[in-house]
């Protein structure tokens, strides 16, 4: 399956962490993680949900993840062509499982997209991607992938993870699901403490 891990980057202790949305269920087999402008991301999530439902009604089947990604990216790209409109200020990680296998697509505001084994978006992207380059292995278990994602996220922060701000979603043959706070914290507890030399 696919594991999506995000940090909500809480800027103030007055913010209620549950009020920040960065991961969304699109259909039973597809989830999206976002970075950038949240309002723009919500518009694209709504569009993706409509595309998934149109496919379900028209063809009586779930939309293939690559087709959904292409449709969203075509929509994003159309906003780069004309004056009077601006590109969507959000990058997306689209993860899902369909008849063709397991997919993880990274999209940018221009509408470009690429498929990855592991990827990152947002402010710590380069650090996360370097970590994945060094540590990703083929045929990992979901638990190993969760641990890898949390370690990569922690590497990009240079500090311990905020237990209230980390969210984990899994998309596999059983569908899309998010881990509850207790399960997220259990996974964080499995990490070795940081060496602060």
């Amino acid at each position: 399956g696919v594991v999506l891990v995000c940090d909500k980057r809480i800027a103030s202790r007055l913010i209620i962490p549950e009020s920040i949305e960065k991961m969304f269920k699109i259909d039973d087999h597809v989830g999206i993680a976002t970075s950038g402008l949240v309002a723009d991301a919500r518009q694209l999530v709504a569009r993706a949900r409509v595309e998934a439902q149109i496919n379900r009604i028209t063809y009586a089947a779930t939309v293939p993840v690559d087709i959904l990604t292409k449709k969203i990216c075509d929509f994003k790209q159309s906003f780069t062509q004309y004056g009077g409109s601006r590109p969507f200020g959000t990058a997306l990680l689209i993860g899902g499982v369909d008849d063709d296998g397991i997919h993880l697509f990274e999209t940018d505001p221009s509408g470009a997209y690429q498929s990855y084994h592991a990827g990152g978006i947002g402010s710590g992207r380069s650090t996360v991607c370097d970590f994945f380059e060094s540590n990703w292995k083929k045929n990992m278990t979901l638990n190993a992938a969760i641990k890898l994602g949390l370690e990569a996220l922690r590497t990009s922060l240079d500090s311990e993870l905020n237990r209230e701000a980390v969210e984990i979603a899994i998309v596999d043959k059983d569908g899309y699901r998010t881990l509850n706070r207790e399960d997220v914290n259990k996974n964080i507890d499995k990490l070795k403490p940081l060496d602060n030399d």
Side-chain angles (χ1 to χ4, degrees):
V2 178
V3 175
L4 300 172
V5 179
C6 79
D7 175 42
K8 297 180 181 181
R9 305 274 168 123
I10 297 167
S12 164
R13 65 186 185 89
L14 300 175
I15 294 174
I16 299 169
E18 293 77 29
S19 69
I20 301 170
E21 285 186 295
K22 289 208 166 203
M23 287 202 280
F24 302 88
K25 177 181 178 178
I26 302 305
D27 203 344
D28 293 337
H29 68 300
V30 184
I32 290 181
T34 67
S35 76
L37 300 177
V38 179
D40 286 9
R42 277 200 319 268
Q43 290 298 308
L44 292 172
V45 164
R47 177 83 180 202
R49 287 174 174 160
V50 168
E51 292 291 349
Q53 292 307 309
I54 287 171
N55 198 89
R56 193 179 285 269
I57 290 167
T58 306
Y59 302 108
T62 56
V63 65
V65 181
D66 60 331
I67 300 295
L68 179 65
T69 301
K70 185 178 184 313
K71 286 182 181 227
I72 293 307
C73 286
D74 287 349
F75 182 66
K76 286 169 77 169
Q77 194 277 332
S78 70
F79 278 77
T80 68
Q81 292 181 309
Y82 308 106
S85 67
R86 65 167 178 79
F88 288 93
T90 184
L92 305 175
L93 276 178
I94 303 173
V97 177
D98 60 23
D99 293 341
D100 295 327
I102 300 164
H103 306 278
L104 179 66
F105 291 98
E106 185 179 306
T107 78
D108 66 29
S110 72
Y113 66 94
Q114 291 166 326
S115 183
Y116 285 88
H117 293 295
I121 54 175
S123 60
R125 181 187 187 282
S126 59
T127 308
V128 166
C129 288
D130 288 345
F131 186 87
F132 286 149
E133 288 272 342
S134 304
N135 297 287
W136 180 83
K137 293 175 182 66
K138 229 178 173 147
N139 299 321
M140 298 176 87
T141 65
L142 281 175
N143 284 334
I146 290 170
K147 184 174 183 235
L148 182 72
L150 289 170
E151 286 174 340
L153 182 60
R154 185 173 67 177
T155 303
S156 74
L157 300 173
D158 287 328
S159 65
E160 288 299 340
L161 296 170
N162 180 341
R163 298 166 68 86
E164 300 304 312
V166 174
E167 219 175 284
I168 300 172
I170 297 170
V171 189
D172 61 12
K173 62 180 175 31
D174 298 325
Y176 176 97
R177 64 191 182 280
T178 55
L179 298 187
N180 62 36
R181 178 62 37 215
E182 184 182 335
D183 289 338
V184 169
N185 288 338
K186 279 181 189 171
N187 280 289
I188 291 172
D189 291 339
K190 293 178 189 173
L191 302 179
K192 290 184 180 130
L194 275 175
D195 284 337
N196 291 327
D197 295 343

